[in-house]
Amino acid sequence: MSFTEHRALGRTLWETTQVVNRAFERTLAEVGGSRAVWFIFLALAAQEHATQRDLAATVGITEATLTHHLNALELRALVTRTRDERDRRIQRIEFTEEGRAAFERILAAATAFNRRLVTAVGGDLDTLYAALDRLAAAADADHEAVPSPLAETHHDIGL
Amino acid sequence: MSFTEHRALGRTLWETTQVVNRAFERTLAEVGGSRAVWFIFLALAAQEHATQRDLAATVGITEATLTHHLNALELRALVTRTRDERDRRIQRIEFTEEGRAAFERILAAATAFNRRLVTAVGGDLDTLYAALDRLAAAADADHEAVPSPLAETHHDIGL
DNA sequence: TATTGTTATACTCTATAACTATA
DNA sequence: TATAGTTATAGAGTATAACAATA
């Protein structure tokens, strides 16, 4: 029974992502991570952010949400926050030794997971990326005002 | 700067879905809907569920979560719940007149949105579906115990 | 005044476990 | 005992608005 003349592309995309994401979250949970933490860690390791605002934008969340996550990470002693000497408004966020180790574990798990996905897709990878980019562009078409997270590093950072 | 030898397939998939989903949620919100409500409405309209348990499985959520959503829908007078005469454990869920009208509005919005996505992808639709299916299968490979939601109606129902 | 980040609060979606009603 | 569904509770992730500290 179908309610539309087209197949359910948005829904298929949603469900595929749900399945993939749940598997990914399970994988990360096994090494003490989560998707949100993984994205934040990657952005931290890349060291391409000047402020928490930048970092939040890179991760694709608000500043308040980032603070929320950083609080948890600091509580777990995985990162430290120290005020910048020259501009005390700015927090400098750094991995602790333990945090760096956690990052390495999560990186290994995420890399292995990604490799599995890439292998599954086979040779059509560029075609898939092109299709996904067209989907995102089409969805955003009505709403240029809303910035798409990580647009500039799209595809360039580990999973 | 890249931390993996492969491009970030899982992440690209995630971000694409985020962008598409956010646009979809905005579209639905304009007609008083949400993704969860839309999925539930579709399952209701299809009338292929015997119990709430079935319905929850079709939508891909737990019974408790479904109850949560049905409470909200009943409060908004979009659905009614009546006990089955022959087995009073069973709730029969039906659209109210208003609920049916809401469904029609949401259907129209979702169909238009889906058409936009399909148009954007162009002629590669089957290739894209195949790639997405391979991704879901690969992600699930480690975790056969976890049932993927809507496996049987995959692709067969409106967005 | 503008910027950086935090706090307070709340919302949505989700789940688990204990429970009630019915069979 | 088993099944259908609800309630109570909680947790993760997210956001907005008001705020404090600093520039």
Side-chain angles (χ1 to χ4, degrees), chain A residues 1-17 19-23 26 35 39 42 45-46 48 58 60 103 107 111 113-118 120-121 124-129 131-132 134-136 138-143 146 148-150 154-159, chain B residues 1-17 19-23 26 35 39 42 45-46 48 58 60 103 107 111 113-118 120-121 124-129 131-132 134-136 138-143 146 148-150 154-159:
Chain A
M1 177 164 195
S2 179
F3 290 95
T4 70
E5 69 271 40
H6 298 299
R7 283 161 89 193
L9 180 50
R11 183 162 192 164
T12 301
L13 181 62
W14 172 257
E15 283 162 9
T16 300
T17 302
V19 169
V20 172
N21 191 51
R22 282 174 189 177
R26 277 193 301 266
R35 188 185 40 73
F39 284 6
L42 266 181
E48 284 165 352
T58 300
F103 173 62
L107 173 60
T111 303
F113 188 88
N114 193 52
R115 193 173 300 125
R116 198 145 56 99
L117 292 187
V118 169
V121 169
D124 304 343
L125 205 52
D126 288 340
T127 305
L128 177 56
Y129 277 130
L132 292 178
R134 283 200 297 277
L135 281 177
D140 253 359
D142 288 352
H143 305 274
V146 181
S148 83
L150 274 154
H154 219 56
H155 303 166
D156 289 336
I157 274 184
L159 174 71
Chain B
M1 179 163 193
S2 179
F3 290 95
T4 69
E5 68 272 43
H6 298 298
R7 284 160 88 193
L9 180 50
R11 182 160 193 168
T12 301
L13 180 63
W14 171 258
E15 283 163 9
T16 300
T17 301
V19 169
V20 171
N21 191 49
R22 281 174 189 177
R26 278 193 301 267
R35 188 185 40 73
F39 283 7
L42 266 181
E48 283 164 353
T58 300
F103 173 61
L107 173 59
T111 302
F113 187 88
N114 193 52
R115 193 173 302 125
R116 197 146 54 103
L117 292 188
V118 169
V121 169
D124 305 343
L125 205 52
D126 289 339
T127 304
L128 178 56
Y129 277 131
L132 292 177
R134 283 200 297 279
L135 281 177
D140 253 358
D142 287 351
H143 305 274
V146 181
S148 85
L150 276 156
H154 220 57
H155 301 166
D156 290 334
I157 273 185
L159 177 70

Side-chain angles (χ1 to χ4, degrees), chain A residues 33 46-47 57 69 74 77 82 87 93 96 103-104 108 116 121 131 148-149 151:
Chain A
Q47 291 191 303
H69 288 300
E74 199 173 29
T82 45
D87 182 347
I93 302 147
T96 61
F103 173 62
E104 301 291 351
R116 198 145 56 99
V121 169
S148 83

Side-chain angles (χ1 to χ4, degrees), chain A residues 35-152:
Chain A
R35 188 185 40 73
V37 166
W38 169 232
F39 284 6
I40 291 169
F41 274 10
L42 266 181
L44 278 182
Q47 291 191 303
E48 284 165 352
H49 66 283
T51 64
Q52 274 188 209
R53 183 162 299 172
D54 290 348
L55 187 58
T58 300
V59 174
I61 56 182
T62 61
E63 292 165 71
T65 301
L66 178 59
T67 294
H68 167 84
H69 288 300
L70 289 178
N71 287 344
L73 290 174
E74 199 173 29
L75 204 67
R76 293 170 61 195
L78 300 181
V79 302
T80 56
R81 281 187 278 196
T82 45
R83 292 283 171 186
D84 187 289
E85 284 301 306
R86 280 164 296 208
D87 182 347
R88 295 191 48 74
R89 290 175 303 181
I90 294 174
Q91 293 275 35
R92 286 191 10 247
I93 302 147
E94 278 167 353
F95 284 118
T96 61
E97 197 176 331
E98 201 180 337
R100 173 65 61 174
F103 173 62
E104 301 291 351
R105 282 196 304 277
I106 296 174
L107 173 60
T111 303
F113 188 88
N114 193 52
R115 193 173 300 125
R116 198 145 56 99
L117 292 187
V118 169
T119 301
V121 169
D124 304 343
L125 205 52
D126 288 340
T127 305
L128 177 56
Y129 277 130
L132 292 178
D133 284 346
R134 283 200 297 277
L135 281 177
D140 253 359
D142 288 352
H143 305 274
E144 296 84 27
V146 181
S148 83
L150 274 154
E152 70 287 354

